Structure formats: C-alpha cells, structure tokens
Amino acid sequence: MSDTIDLIEWIIGSGLSGKALEEIVGTLSKRLIKLGFPLVRVSIAMPSIDPLQRGFSVSWSKYSPVATEVQGHDDAGEDMFVRSPIYYLLSNDLLHGRWRLAEDDTSSFPLLRELSDLGATDYVIKLVAFPGGTALAGVGFSIAVDGSEGFNDQQVAIIEKIMPALALVCFQIAAMRVATDMLAVYTGARTSGRILSGQTRRGDGTAIYAAILLADLKNFTSLNERWPAERIVAWLNEHFEAVAQSVEQNGGEILKFMGDSLLAIFPADVEDPADACRRALSAATGAMDATVTLNQARYHSDQPEIPIDIVLHVGEVFYGNVGAARRLDFTVVGRAVNEAARIEKLADDVGHSLLASADFVAQCPDCFHKVGNFALKGVAEPASVFAWGPPTFERE
C-alpha cells in the first residue's frame, strides 16, 4: 500500500512541477516495473482540438524509447481511431476494457495484434472523462504485460488507485497545451508568448520597429455575388495558406486576417532593419509565386483566378492590446500600418501588384523602381512609392 501511495504522490508532484507527458510516461513505466509489473507497453492517449490533429498518444515500450504519435484528421487518422480499443469503448459506452491476448479475439484491433506479436499476454485500458464538456473529452490509459498469468489482482488494484491522480495530471497538461497551442493558432507564436507572459490588459504593449507586409486579394468582393459561400471560403483559405507559409518560412508572424486581407510583421533592429526587410521581401515574392501557381491551377479547372496585391513598409508600431476591456486584439497600430494600407489602394492605379515604401526600399534597393509620388489620405507629406521588378517602358 505504501508503494502505491508513493506512486500517487509522485504522479501528482510531477504534474505540479510541469513535467512533460513524455517524461511522466517514461518514469511511470520504470516505477511500475519496480512494483513487479512485467511491462510490454504503457500509453496515455488524449484528444486534441488542434486544427491539424484529432489526438495524440505518448507511449513507452519494452522494445523502444518513449515516443509521441499524432493522429491527423485525414483518412489514415480516422481509420486508426476507428480500429482502436478506445473507439470500441466509446462506441459501447464503456470506461474500461481488458483483453487476454492469447484467448480473446483481437482481429479487429491492429494494436492488440501488434502487442501479441511482441509477446504481450494481457492488456488493460481505462478511460477517464475530463470535466467541462469541451472537445478535450478525457484521457485513455493503457498498459500491456507479458507475464504468463497476465495481471494479478494486486496490479489491477494499483491501476485503479493511480487513475484519478494520473487523469488529473493529464487534464492539467491538456489544459496548458490548449492554452499554448490554440492561442498560437489564433494569435501567432510570438504574440501568444507575450499574452501568456501576462500582457493581457488593454494598453499593454510596447513600441517596436518592424517590417510590415500587407496582402489583399483582388476582386474578391465581386466573387461573393457569383459563387456560393463555401466555395469562396475554400479559395480564401487556399490563398491565405500560400501567403502564411511564405511568411512563416521567413520568420514573420501573421497578426490578423481582415476579410480578404492579412497583416504580418517581421520584427526588426531599429539600428539595422535590413535583415527583417529582406525576409519580408522574400516572403512577399514567395507569396506572389504561390499565388501564380494557384491561379494557373484554377484557370485549367474553369475556376476564377484571384490575384493578390502586397505592400511592404517598415517603421515603428505599437505592438500590444487594443480593444474593449473584455474583448482585446493583440495587434500593431501606428502611422506605418496606416501608410501601408494607403499604399495598397494604389496598386490598381500604378499597375503593379507588389509595392513598397521609400523607407523599405532604402533597406532593399535591388529590383525596385519608383512609380511616383502620391498623396496618401491622412498623411501630410506625399509618399514615394516603388514597385517590384525592373521598370517597363511603352514603345513610341
């Protein structure tokens, strides 16, 4: 009994100390072996609300180190889930299951056949529901042994006793994972870090110097009048994905999507912003190339082409919380953001899709040419605007 109490206290302490689930699974397996469990495999599985994965499991095996396996939302992930013991339990409103692998029919479960091939004789799985009714439904804890008699009564009792503590720790890990991963999905990795560090009050933030990328899909409003909403959303997502990949590959962060536009920043050294500007330019040209590829595919499938305009600028912005007391947006505001938005409106007039300010071009002069000086609404002085690529000349 004292060994079981010690194990429960260790599980709770591990959760309070913020240990990773991988470390907990690895050490838990070693402690169960010391308690006499002839372990083959120990696994903890939980669902996820990440847009790219339906769930994940962390497993220790007698024959391999601790590993994390992610199940996606694709057909392979769905098939893996449907053929799992967890799905069987959920489909039959059960919270626990036990298979004696040498005696019971395991043909429907690839995992159990695999364990049997490894010499496992007995498999137990238990589910514990999380509170709150969220998509984080609960945790599944499974354990397989290879002793000739399988689990004895004392070992089954130990599993029962440690489950509440283990489920509590897993709930804490899952909640923190949601807070960090999903906040990053909705706000960006850099911004989510600031929010989690405590910058949560309206007005919290700081002045930073940054290269700014503002992208806007052209003729998108007219498409809404001719195509159903689900097609529009699918095309919008394709373009945003193309731009986002290029931004992230070049070290930028998308701060917001605004209808058919997006705003991204590349934090810069105020004394030497050239590197941030070069990365922003690389992101912009990569996004333009990806858009061309998308539109070529659309053209060949009789779908509408959707061009994109991109503006590059650099300057000081306020990076922080803006909004109402209980509904905040962590974004950038300031003169540089306003100027970028005004320059974007000139794209059709000057006949170029990738424009930049004079301040930006001063850091990345190659392959830009001036298209004119323009009065920008709300800006006192006319702005010099540049276009990407060599100048074009009309023949006389």
Side-chain angles (χ1 to χ4, degrees), residues 85 88 98-110 112-113 116 123:
Y88 172 81
R98 183 176 182 180
W99 285 265
R100 295 187 180 274
L101 302 182
E103 304 170 7
D104 297 336
D105 180 15
T106 61
S107 59
S108 299
F109 307 107
L112 299 189
R113 294 201 306 272
S116 181
Y123 175 85

Side-chain angles (χ1 to χ4, degrees), residues 291-315:
T291 299
V292 169
T293 301
L294 275 175
N295 284 328
Q296 287 174 342
R298 295 241 182 84
Y299 174 80
H300 291 298
S301 59
D302 295 323
Q303 298 181 67
E305 299 177 61
I306 307 174
I308 191 171
D309 291 330
I310 296 179
V311 170
L312 299 170
H313 192 18
V314 63

Side-chain angles (χ1 to χ4, degrees), residues 118-131:
L118 293 174
T121 57
D122 208 348
Y123 175 85
V124 167
I125 180 170
K126 292 189 174 292
L127 306 183
V128 177
F130 289 156

